[in-house]
Amino acid sequence: VELFRRYVRPVYGLALSRIEDHALAEGVTRATFDALWRESPAFDPATADAEDWIHDVAIRAIETQVERAPSGSVPAGQTDAASERRRWRVQRALATLTPEQSLVVELSVWGAMGATELARYVGLPVETVRTHARAGYARLAEALAEDVG
Amino acid sequence: VSGTADANDVLDGLDDRERERLERVRTVLVEAGPPPELPPTLADPPEPSDRGWPSVGRYRSTVVAIAIVAGVALFGIGYVLGGGETSTQAVETSTLSGDGGASGELAVLPRDGAGNWPVELTVRRLPALEDGEAYALWLTRAGAPDASCGLFAVGREATAVRLNCPYRLDAFDGWAVTRTPGERVLLKATRG
């Protein structure tokens, strides 16, 4: 359950970036977690990186979906490897936040909300919102050290 | 870049250096784009289609034995019902070799309706297993085991087993049989 909670959005996001079809991306996400479950006994954390393993399993599930579909029937998304990998890291990092931090950070970044508006929206004091935001951003800065510099 | 000027006021009160660091985080997030909205069907973990080992705990060796026996029995039934001619339909064959005279032949059969590649594997003189161990067939990348195609056991003489590879084969460069857990490679072959 914890693995699913942490990786479902990165996996679904990766699938959507390669297959611009929500239903197919959903199927790929389910297939990925099924494969992770099936292959987990063979995974050795001493010799392989879990993050890379999960990413590779997701890529294989996407490739299988594309290969199985009749030619040209799967709408292809952008496949710029560098930005895809960065998007994966960002979504992985977001999944490590607490629900409060996640809400405040996401609304401040993509909802364009300031502290006062956020406080009204989530029903918390402005300073509490700032505390969640700072803690969330700080955690993301650590998780995304290679991107943040 | 989405957001308004005052959206950064959630970072008010920090010293300049820390604020600059956290604003770089914001820039990275904006450039990466928002995470996808999950459909309701992905709100909870899907039920695994094969519960596999993680839930079997101390009964693992028993479960492995049952799974292997069932797999060999099913292969035998299929082989008999199919007239024993499955390998003649092979779309790809490989010869595997290993230390101590261990060897094997592998035949990839036509892909089934679900998109899996059935594989017929015959092995000889593999080293004996310890309790709780099994052999595993893998597809390899750069010569290293990468994607598991299932577990099996063998008798003292040559043993044929039927396994399944739910992967795109052209993404891999060869085959390997390992002893699992531990994944020591016992047999290897390069795909032609």
Side-chain angles (χ1 to χ4, degrees):
Chain A
V1 172
E2 183 60 20
L3 181 90
F4 181 82
R5 192 189 72 75
R6 288 184 173 230
Y7 284 95
V8 64
R9 287 217 293 191
V11 169
Y12 182 63
L14 181 63
L16 266 184
S17 74
R18 293 227 183 171
I19 303 172
E20 290 181 335
D21 180 296
H22 289 262
L24 291 178
E26 208 178 303
V28 163
T29 305
R30 278 197 295 271
T32 299
F33 284 97
D34 211 41
L36 289 172
W37 185 266
R38 201 171 53 242
E39 294 179 21
S40 60
F43 174 72
D44 180 2
T47 59
D49 181 82
E51 191 78 31
D52 288 343
W53 172 58
I54 293 167
H55 185 267
D56 289 350
V57 170
I59 294 292
R60 283 206 309 267
I62 292 167
E63 289 174 349
T64 301
Q65 175 68 63
V66 171
E67 191 201 16
R68 284 178 184 175
S71 180
S73 66
V74 174
Q78 59 156 311
T79 54
D80 170 4
S83 57
E84 180 182 275
R85 195 69 199 203
R86 184 165 65 170
R87 203 159 41 242
W88 170 273
R89 287 195 297 272
V90 165
Q91 291 176 16
R92 266 288 297 122
L94 285 168
T96 68
L97 302 184
T98 67
E100 295 82 6
Q101 291 167 357
S102 178
L103 181 66
V104 168
V105 167
E106 289 184 25
L107 287 175
S108 76
V109 175
W110 294 293
M113 289 189 185
T116 307
E117 193 178 0
L118 267 169
R120 266 201 308 272
Y121 185 80
V122 300
L124 292 171
V126 171
E127 269 317 299
T128 305
V129 163
R130 286 205 171 104
T131 300
H132 287 312
R134 289 168 195 159
Y137 275 94
R139 187 181 283 199
L140 291 173
E142 285 172 24
L144 297 168
E146 68 178 290
D147 300 285
V148 172
Chain B
V1 173
S2 64
T4 60
D6 72 346
N8 274 355
D9 73 356
V10 293
L11 300 178
D12 282 358
L14 297 172
D15 64 57
D16 289 349
R17 190 173 170 180
E18 180 65 356
R19 182 177 178 118
E20 188 188 328
R21 184 173 82 105
L22 299 190
E23 282 181 354
R24 283 202 300 275
V25 173
R26 179 186 165 81
T27 302
V28 169
L29 296 184
V30 169
E31 287 173 357
E37 282 296 321
L38 284 179
T41 50
L42 291 178
D44 297 307
E47 192 66 24
S49 60
D50 170 12
R51 285 200 168 272
W53 286 1
S55 62
V56 299
R58 63 198 175 95
Y59 302 110
R60 170 175 160 157
S61 59
T62 307
V63 171
V64 168
I66 291 169
I68 288 168
V69 168
V72 171
L74 286 172
F75 169 67
I77 292 167
Y79 189 82
V80 169
L81 291 177
E85 295 177 348
T86 48
S87 60
T88 62
Q89 307 162 6
V91 295
E92 174 183 316
T93 58
S94 298
T95 300
L96 298 103
S97 59
D99 293 339
S103 65
E105 284 90 40
L106 180 148
V108 180
L109 303 178
R111 198 163 53 156
D112 66 22
N116 304 300
W117 296 96
V119 170
E120 190 180 306
L121 175 66
T122 304
V123 292
R124 294 176 194 83
R125 302 185 68 178
L126 288 180
L129 296 172
E130 301 291 328
D131 184 40
E133 288 186 329
Y135 302 109
L137 175 67
W138 296 80
L139 280 157
T140 62
R141 260 192 241 252
D146 189 74
S148 171
C149 297
L151 306 176
F152 63 97
V154 298
R156 294 177 74 88
E157 305 299 326
T159 300
V161 292
R162 174 75 76 91
L163 299 160
N164 220 326
C165 296
Y167 307 107
R168 183 174 163 172
L169 297 186
D170 61 10
F172 302 92
D173 55 22
W175 300 93
V177 171
T178 66
R179 181 180 188 146
T180 190
E183 309 319 332
R184 192 165 69 82
V185 175
L186 304 174
L187 295 174
K188 281 183 84 166
T190 304
R191 293 184 63 233

